[in-house]
Amino acid sequence: MSDTKYAQQGMTFRQSVEHMVDHAIEIMGLDEGIGNAMKVCQSVVQVSFPVEINGKAEIFTGWRATHSDHRLPSKGGIRFAPIVDQDEVEALAALMTYKCAIVDVPFGGSKGGLVIDPRQYERHQLEAITRRFARELILKGYLSPAQNVPAPDMGTGPREMGWMVDTYRQMFPNDINYMGALTGKPVEHGGVRGRNEATGRGVQYALRELFRHPEELERCGLSGSLAGKRVIVQGLGNVGYHAAHFLETEDDCLITAIIERDGAVVNADGLDVSAVREHIAETGGVKGFAGGEYREDGTAVLEMACDILIPAALEGVITADNAERIQASLIAEAANGPVTFAADKILQERGVEILPDAYCNAGGVVVSYFEWIRNLNHVRFGRLERRFHEARGEQIIAAIEDASGVEVPEHLRQKLARGADEFDLVRSGLDDSMRLALQSIIAVRRDNPKIHDYRMAAYAIAIEKVARHYRDIGF
Ligand code: NAD
């Protein structure tokens, strides 16, 4: 059993996800056979390999699990973390299946993990370890553009994806689609603009969509716009930083606390998120940040009053032990599995609303899907049509000016005569995916009297889509 908060609660992460899915299956009255087929993790591989570190062979162990290949490729991140195990990887792979279905991404679900604390290794050592892990996964059939496409997760980023895709390219130089073997790559090496920020950006888009539905906000005891809302963020990594930064700078939220490994910084007037990020990069933690008050006990800060709590670090941080004390009106699950099954029940009884991980952090896989399409198309989004649309815009402006005799103001001219570039298209596609998915979740919750929360509504959508596939095509 894993050594995580989940295990301390007597239930593993995978069991917690299974309980939630069981509940959704029961609500939907799904055929038992299909339900069982859906829950099982189809395959998992464990690899152990030596890498020479400072003249000595060190053994590394990792896993990649495919929960479902009802659609191919199966998709899901690879995490590098000191505490990762098969149970966690299987739970995360299952979440990927549901996540893809919820946001209409035609992929199966997969996930990988390597037991390592990346901060303990030099860059060249990490490169050797990452390349060797990729090689093992490729040789076992768990990494290819057609079947299984990893992406970044905790402890990995574009750099690691770049090393992995290069390893694949070296092993399969004749595969013209080799770029599609990994997503989340650096833009200069086949990545798509907007992927790095995508998960955090998706969290922002999810909240924006929720705030377009006053009746839903009422359930959370909230009203008005995002401006001025007090937000607490746990984990200022890739997901947490982008979510917090965009909410602060574009929606005028007040980021009143940021919780990191070494404690938290608190400022009721709002923190400068980029400045906190720079401070962490320079010093390794939030302690000593001048723009806020330091608190050593980060977990206690999770329980402070706020409008929106965004756990964006680890799983199992809100448990039966602290759920009663959470004061947030709304929890946006940017991390995977931050709320345990038991805590979820307590929070529901207390009327705390949760935007579930399987929806809320799906922005990453949505943009990974765009990146994969771009790689198979071998052309940047917008390359063919951007100048055409600019010329068309100029023609429309000329026609308006001719007909009206009035000159179109410069700021409007610039907007009208601008062709969309890759960034614009990716953001717009992400926004559309997040909006449509939440609208469906809201509709399912509204129309099904047995469903009382967003998580069950999201699972109901996912399960119905996967079940339909099994019913129509077979197992
Ligand atoms: P990351 O490694 O970039 O960031 C994690 C952050 O959490 C780091 O800043 C780290 O210092 C902090 N942290 C670690 N332990 C902590 C603790 N005990 N208390 C407070 N902070 C702590 O990882 P990430 O990619 O941002 O992923 C974060 C979460 O989001 C994970 O659950 C991951 O599965 C999920 N997620 C990530 C993506 C993605 O695209 N990267 C997509 C979907 C879901």
Side-chain angles (χ1 to χ4, degrees):
M1 193 188 264
S2 64
D3 180 26
T4 62
K5 282 262 182 69
Y6 272 97
Q8 289 159 23
Q9 301 275 317
M11 188 190 281
T12 68
F13 186 11
R14 186 175 50 75
Q15 286 165 339
S16 186
V17 172
E18 262 179 30
H19 268 71
M20 295 182 188
V21 173
D22 271 340
H23 190 40
I25 287 175
E26 191 191 314
I27 286 175
M28 295 172 67
L30 206 68
D31 173 273
E32 198 186 333
I34 291 185
N36 288 340
M38 200 174 303
K39 273 169 25 191
V40 74
C41 184
Q42 288 181 354
S43 68
V44 57
V45 65
Q46 175 178 329
V47 295
S48 291
F49 53 87
V51 177
E52 197 178 302
I53 305 288
N54 299 328
K56 258 179 64 187
E58 212 173 296
I59 306 294
F60 295 87
T61 299
W63 296 265
R64 184 123 181 117
T66 296
H67 172 258
S68 133
D69 60 6
H70 72 290
R71 291 279 172 91
L72 285 173
S74 299
K75 193 83 188 76
I78 288 187
R79 67 169 49 172
F80 283 5
I83 300 176
V84 60
D85 58 23
Q86 184 173 331
D87 186 276
E88 177 179 295
V89 168
E90 287 188 18
L92 290 163
L95 271 181
M96 284 307 300
T97 299
Y98 306 124
K99 198 177 294 190
C100 291
I102 290 164
V103 287
D104 238 342
V105 165
F107 290 151
S110 188
K111 201 79 180 189
L114 185 71
V115 185
I116 182 173
D117 181 354
R119 292 173 306 168
Q120 306 302 322
Y121 295 88
E122 308 273 338
R123 184 193 149 94
H124 71 276
Q125 296 170 334
L126 269 178
E127 177 175 350
I129 297 162
T130 307
R131 283 183 179 276
R132 179 63 194 264
F133 187 33
R135 195 180 151 77
E136 295 298 325
L137 295 181
I138 293 164
L139 289 172
K140 308 274 182 310
Y142 280 80
L143 199 168
S144 79
Q147 282 192 301
N148 198 317
V149 180
D153 194 74
M154 216 196 292
T156 58
R159 182 183 67 173
E160 285 72 18
M161 298 305 111
W163 289 331
M164 287 197 183
V165 83
D166 188 58
T167 306
Y168 182 87
R169 184 185 63 86
Q170 287 174 8
M171 291 172 74
F172 297 96
N174 284 328
D175 185 346
I176 195 169
N177 291 320
Y178 74 89
M179 280 287 191
L182 273 302
T183 60
K185 303 178 292 293
V187 172
E188 312 74 46
H189 299 286
V192 73
R193 283 158 191 82
R195 172 61 184 91
N196 199 33
E197 62 169 49
T199 309
R201 178 67 79 185
V203 174
Q204 176 200 29
Y205 287 164
L207 286 167
R208 281 186 178 176
E209 182 56 24
L210 188 73
F211 274 73
R212 290 189 189 99
H213 299 265
E215 69 292 352
E216 299 300 317
L217 279 187
E218 214 172 286
R219 293 182 191 278
C220 318
L222 295 171
S223 60
S225 70
L226 275 165
K229 293 288 179 290
R230 297 162 305 156
V231 179
I232 294 180
V233 179
Q234 182 191 38
L236 208 64
N238 178 300
V239 179
Y241 167 71
H242 286 109
H245 174 65
F246 295 141
L247 287 168
E248 178 207 354
T249 56
E250 298 175 9
D251 296 297
D252 298 323
C253 288
L254 295 176
I255 311 300
T256 52
I258 290 173
I259 308 163
E260 257 292 333
R261 292 174 203 261
D262 65 327
V265 272
V266 178
N267 185 338
D269 297 326
L271 293 156
D272 177 339
V273 175
S274 290
V276 178
R277 169 101 150 171
E278 272 168 39
H279 182 83
I280 296 173
E282 279 162 21
T283 67
V286 289
K287 192 174 180 181
F289 178 69
E293 185 196 320
Y294 174 69
R295 307 265 174 95
E296 197 175 336
D297 186 0
T299 50
V301 175
L302 277 176
E303 300 163 16
M304 280 177 56
C306 66
D307 299 305
I308 305 167
L309 175 60
I310 306 184
L314 316 162
E315 54 256 22
V317 292
I318 302 174
T319 66
D321 294 339
N322 61 359
E324 288 286 0
R325 297 192 299 274
I326 297 293
Q327 294 185 60
S329 318
L330 171 67
I331 299 174
E333 292 186 336
N336 282 311
V339 176
T340 64
F341 180 68
D344 191 69
K345 277 175 101 172
I346 297 170
L347 292 165
Q348 223 186 101
E349 277 158 21
R350 293 187 47 225
V352 178
E353 291 292 339
I354 301 175
L355 283 180
D357 47 6
Y359 161 68
C360 192
N361 69 31
V365 77
V366 169
V367 177
S368 276
Y369 171 45
F370 299 156
E371 180 175 335
W372 184 75
I373 292 171
R374 176 204 207 269
N375 293 149
L376 298 197
N377 283 343
H378 298 266
V379 65
R380 187 180 73 229
F381 291 121
R383 181 166 178 179
L384 300 183
E385 61 273 46
R386 182 175 171 191
R387 301 295 170 201
F388 176 83
H389 286 139
E390 282 186 5
R392 176 61 63 82
E394 294 285 1
Q395 285 162 4
I396 292 170
I397 291 167
I400 292 170
E401 289 180 340
D402 263 5
S404 66
V406 179
E407 209 171 295
V408 171
E410 190 52 31
H411 70 282
L412 280 182
R413 174 183 293 275
Q414 275 179 16
K415 277 190 189 155
L416 282 169
R418 185 170 166 277
D421 62 18
E422 186 166 80
F423 229 129
D424 300 319
L425 294 167
V426 163
R427 280 189 184 162
S428 130
L430 173 61
D431 194 12
D432 187 53
S433 305
M434 296 307 289
R435 282 195 203 197
L436 291 180
L438 188 56
Q439 287 164 17
S440 311
I441 292 169
I442 289 171
V444 166
R445 180 175 178 174
R446 189 191 52 221
D447 298 341
N448 190 329
K450 288 187 190 160
I451 293 180
H452 307 293
D453 63 331
Y454 297 125
R455 192 187 311 277
M456 276 309 125
Y459 275 133
I461 291 170
I463 284 166
E464 178 49 33
K465 281 189 190 171
V466 181
R468 195 185 315 142
H469 183 93
Y470 286 147
R471 279 194 295 262
D472 294 350
I473 310 285
F475 297 112

